[in-house]
Amino acid sequence: MTDESADTSDQPVVEIERVYDAVEALGRPHLTAAELARKAQLSPAHAREALDAFVTEGTMVRHAVGGADAVYHPPDLDALADRERVIVFPERHEVVVEDAAQYTRAQLSQFAHLVDTNRAGAAIYEIRAEDVWQAPYDDLESLLATMRDVLGERATAMTEWVTSQWERARKFRLYTHEDGYTVLEADSDDLMGNVARQKLDADFLRAPISDSESWVNEEYTAQIKRTLYDAGYPVRDERDLDEGEGLSLELRLQLREYQQDWVNRFTDQGAGVFVGPPGSGKTVAALGVMAAIGGETLILVPSRELASQWRDAIETQTTLPPDQIGEYHGGAKEIRPVTIATYQTAGMDRHRKLFDERRWGLIVFDEVHHIPAPIFRRSADLQGRHRLGLTATPTRESDDEQEIFTLVGPPIGTDWGALFDAGFVAEPEVEIRLVPWADDAAADAYVDAVGHGRRQAAASNPAKIDEARYVLESHPQSKALLFVEYLDQGEALADALDVPFISGETPYARREKLFDEFRSGERDTLVVSRVGDEGIDLPSAELAIVASGLGGSRRQGAQRAGRTMRPVGEAMVYVLATRGTMEEDFVRQQMRHLAAKGIKVTESGAAASENVADATDRAEDDVGTSDDDTGTPD
């Protein structure tokens, strides 16, 4: 016999989500107190008390059914369908979320890797070993607290595995011996003997110092870190790094709280990568690092445009005299206490003096996702200096993010969602528009093409011109950038819209003039090729239309969307893809990085073609009505 008057004071608090879970488990939109008690493992009295409390606050409705138990259900049954669901598969280290809130997506991005999404708003995340190793937390308990916050009690099943991976990332460290040489230290004699000394030969480890320590050949520091990383043991780098020749520099502005946190964390560990959305102020934070380190600095960038922007930022936002700043690229060859060089020039053998002529204390790798490419590998072979990377997208399409981790340093970042909520960065609305073929001829050309030709046919679908025009007309007050992959498509778009097209073939001076006009407001629309992807400072772009892009490049997709991610209010990104082609899958891959960072990505049909179809239907209706009125036969 059940004691209906039992004391419920020691029973757990019942949240409305627990009731929803019980309703879902029953497979119908209502339940009784007895059914909630069974499903939620509560006493019947506590279940009834909780349900009646929800009735009082208006989140449940109660119906008495004759002499039977009362039935409870949500007042709005849509709440059951639209609510967020988080399902954990502990053995596979996977999390499936449906209708996830922005907060949930942002928190998951701190410790999990987005694997896939679908059109219905569901996403699969995987918690990999490297996600735990690189999670931006100072201690294990902070990481586990975030997991509990997102996954609830279900996080407990993965706590042991996450803890083991966290500890695994702390088994090896490099440090500087008091006599000045570098030592690799293992957490145990067994790890040194059976892992490090088995994986690393005499070229890497000069001699044993003890059963758990070895003298390291400093020329191979990067290779040592990479080898042990591949073996499942990331190495903590705690060496005394070269601060270089002194550099007197102060900031002219106050860092935001999270920027100062980035700087503090970098100076504590000596190396790392600032990961944050465009507009979060990574360049300014890097200037803060330069001031904190106080050593001569080499800044490596992908393009001459970025070199000019860095010079402007240093001159306007620090006290460093202009004659202390040099640029080293195709247009200039100046080596000064602060030198800004392009990756391409720095990677050439004949310019090796760039690295050797001065005693650099800090190396800055802007757009650090370039580093893993072989042509840029040399610029990362500077393991004795402070190393700072900057990126919103620490990934390349070969998925070798470990290169960045081992050659530069671990990620240092802030929850993107927190930046959006605080108003430091505008969270863009991202919409994939699926565009039909312009005509049968275009569709036939796609079918007849093979390989790259097929991808180009889908990317260059002429119907995208009408869709781009429609989007621009829908946002008449917004400054817009249209991105293309192919020069012919860029020229066609520019001609149709009567706006300039900027590509790698555009002379540097003309490029700069057009970008300056865009920044100042003299121009409100530009069509740009890949030259617009890498760090060009266009802070007032409120609208981006991606007409075509590198097939499936997550990095490029994030960069192009990122051109709108500035603290300027509303921001929209439209990604155009030809319906029913491989391009559909490509653009979903492109947007996956943004989705992984908590940004909601939606899909819809092309608005321009739908409006044309509606207009055609109305015209046909009008014709039909006219025929009936005049007695014209069918």
Side-chain angles (χ1 to χ4, degrees):
M1 178 177 176
T2 302
D3 182 5
E4 294 288 350
S5 62
D7 182 13
T8 64
S9 61
D10 61 344
Q11 293 278 308
V13 175
V14 180
E15 303 288 349
I16 191 66
E17 289 295 313
R18 205 167 178 186
V19 179
Y20 287 165
D21 286 341
V23 168
E24 203 166 280
L26 288 166
R28 46 182 163 75
H30 56 79
L31 81 175
T32 65
E35 288 169 333
L36 174 62
R38 286 197 303 273
K39 293 295 182 183
Q41 298 184 332
L42 304 169
S43 72
H46 187 44
R48 180 171 292 107
E49 181 181 296
L51 287 169
D52 287 339
F54 290 133
V55 170
T56 301
E57 68 181 34
T59 53
M60 293 293 286
V61 175
R62 181 180 185 274
H63 289 288
V65 186
D69 285 347
V71 171
Y72 300 81
H73 66 81
D76 179 7
L77 295 181
D78 288 342
L80 286 174
D82 296 339
R83 74 190 186 96
E84 176 181 282
R85 296 175 180 82
V86 179
I87 306 164
V88 179
F89 298 91
E91 295 301 318
R92 302 203 303 263
H93 309 135
E94 287 183 349
V95 179
V96 176
V97 293
E98 297 179 355
D99 298 309
Q102 193 275 332
Y103 173 82
T104 300
R105 298 192 304 270
Q107 292 294 80
L108 278 167
S109 74
Q110 302 295 289
F111 61 85
H113 170 72
L114 180 65
V115 176
D116 201 4
T117 59
N118 67 19
R119 300 184 193 183
I124 300 173
Y125 289 83
E126 179 185 3
I127 305 175
R128 306 167 302 177
E130 54 265 40
D131 298 318
V132 178
W133 299 345
Q134 301 179 28
Y137 297 92
D138 292 330
D139 55 76
L140 173 62
E141 184 49 43
S142 298
L143 167 59
L144 295 177
T146 299
M147 291 181 62
R148 287 192 294 269
D149 192 28
V150 177
L151 308 179
E153 297 176 2
R154 294 157 292 193
T156 305
M158 284 191 285
T159 298
E160 182 177 348
W161 179 80
V162 169
T163 300
S164 70
Q165 292 302 322
W166 177 275
E167 293 173 348
R168 191 179 183 94
R170 285 147 183 82
K171 297 296 186 183
F172 286 97
R173 73 171 183 129
L174 289 167
Y175 73 92
T176 303
H177 191 273
E178 60 183 12
D179 292 333
Y181 56 86
T182 299
V183 176
L184 176 67
E185 180 184 42
D187 188 58
S188 68
D189 298 350
D190 182 62
L191 280 171
M192 177 58 72
N194 293 323
V195 178
R197 289 174 184 162
Q198 295 297 318
K199 300 285 185 182
L200 304 168
D201 60 27
D203 289 337
F204 299 133
L205 303 180
R206 292 185 182 277
I209 298 173
S210 69
D211 288 342
S212 62
E213 295 175 304
S214 291
W215 174 21
V216 166
N217 183 344
E218 292 195 42
E219 292 182 17
Y220 293 102
T221 301
Q223 291 91 325
I224 290 170
K225 291 196 289 185
R226 177 59 193 269
T227 300
L228 290 176
Y229 187 101
D230 289 343
Y233 293 95
V235 178
R236 289 175 296 148
D237 193 340
E238 298 179 0
R239 293 171 297 149
D240 299 333
L241 299 177
D242 192 343
E243 295 185 355
E245 297 295 334
L247 183 72
S248 178
L249 174 153
E250 294 180 5
L251 292 182
R252 299 185 190 274
L253 76 171
Q254 185 76 29
L255 294 177
R256 297 169 183 166
E257 183 177 350
Y258 69 86
Q259 290 171 325
Q260 187 61 58
D261 176 60
W262 289 355
V263 173
N264 294 343
R265 288 162 65 185
F266 178 86
T267 54
D268 284 345
Q269 61 195 45
V273 178
F274 289 167
V275 181
S280 57
K282 297 184 292 293
T283 300
V284 171
L287 298 179
V289 168
M290 290 170 60
I293 298 300
E296 294 192 352
T297 300
L298 174 62
I299 302 168
L300 299 172
V301 300
S303 66
R304 288 170 58 182
E305 286 88 354
L306 269 176
S308 297
Q309 290 171 26
W310 267 94
R311 176 188 278 274
D312 291 344
I314 296 168
E315 289 182 357
T316 58
Q317 296 172 355
T318 78
T319 59
L320 192 69
D323 63 2
Q324 299 289 292
I325 307 168
E327 293 185 43
Y328 199 97
H329 46 66
K333 299 288 189 298
E334 308 163 329
I335 299 181
R336 304 276 173 78
V338 172
T339 298
I340 309 158
T342 59
Y343 285 116
Q344 185 171 4
T345 301
M348 296 179 182
D349 287 338
R350 66 178 180 272
H351 298 300
R352 183 67 190 179
K353 66 177 182 179
L354 180 63
F355 297 103
D356 301 333
E357 194 163 301
R358 301 192 81 94
R359 186 167 151 246
W360 307 114
L362 172 66
I363 314 293
V364 178
F365 303 94
D366 200 2
E367 305 285 358
V368 72
H369 41 265
H370 280 295
I371 292 297
I375 190 173
F376 301 135
R377 190 68 49 81
R378 173 185 293 169
S379 59
D381 193 19
L382 296 159
Q383 294 297 298
R385 321 294 173 85
H386 294 82
R387 302 173 310 284
L388 172 63
L390 308 179
T391 188
T393 55
T395 181
R396 295 184 63 84
E397 296 344 297
S398 54
D399 279 318
D400 49 2
E401 296 99 322
Q402 63 266 33
E403 293 280 9
I404 296 172
F405 184 95
T406 56
L407 296 175
V408 183
I412 298 171
T414 297
D415 178 352
W416 285 35
L419 298 182
F420 296 144
D421 292 342
F424 290 127
V425 180
E427 178 182 5
E429 295 182 42
V430 180
E431 182 177 324
I432 297 172
R433 288 270 178 100
L434 301 179
V435 182
W437 286 108
D439 49 41
D440 289 343
D444 290 343
Y446 174 80
V447 173
D448 293 340
V450 294
H452 178 78
R454 176 169 285 197
R455 191 169 66 109
Q456 184 171 354
S460 303
N461 178 4
K464 292 184 179 182
I465 294 177
D466 291 334
E467 188 64 23
R469 182 183 288 112
Y470 183 89
V471 170
L472 290 172
E473 291 172 352
S474 301
H475 300 273
Q477 305 302 317
S478 297
K479 295 174 67 175
L481 294 173
L482 290 84
F483 293 96
V484 297
E485 174 71 9
Y486 299 101
L487 297 183
D488 289 348
Q489 183 192 23
E491 291 166 356
L493 262 174
D495 289 343
L497 302 173
D498 193 24
V499 298
F501 174 43
I502 300 174
S503 71
E505 297 178 357
T506 307
Y508 177 77
R510 164 95 174 139
R511 238 193 284 178
E512 282 298 284
K513 181 176 184 294
L514 290 172
F515 283 140
D516 286 342
E517 289 173 354
F518 187 87
R519 293 184 192 104
S520 67
E522 293 179 56
R523 293 188 180 276
D524 59 11
T525 305
L526 293 174
V527 179
V528 295
S529 68
R530 283 193 224 177
V531 72
D533 292 334
E534 302 290 1
I536 293 174
D537 183 19
L538 298 170
S540 56
E542 299 122 350
L543 174 65
I545 302 173
V546 182
S548 61
L550 268 178
S553 167
R554 291 165 291 155
R555 175 174 59 84
Q556 188 187 56
Q559 286 166 333
R560 291 182 169 182
R563 296 275 69 81
T564 68
M565 292 168 65
R566 308 284 173 173
V568 294
E570 295 296 320
M572 285 295 306
V573 180
Y574 294 93
V575 185
L576 310 185
T578 299
R579 185 187 293 277
T581 70
M582 64 179 70
E583 193 177 37
E584 275 195 53
D585 293 330
F586 286 159
V587 298
R588 290 186 189 115
Q589 282 183 258
Q590 284 184 318
M591 294 299 101
R592 189 168 294 163
H593 177 78
L594 291 176
K597 291 300 182 183
I599 295 171
K600 190 168 186 178
V601 179
T602 61
E603 283 189 26
S604 71
S609 59
E610 289 175 359
N611 280 359
V612 170
D614 290 344
T616 302
D617 290 343
R618 287 194 297 272
E620 290 174 351
D621 290 342
D622 291 343
V623 171
T625 301
S626 175
D627 288 347
D628 289 342
D629 289 346
T630 59
T632 304
D634 292 331

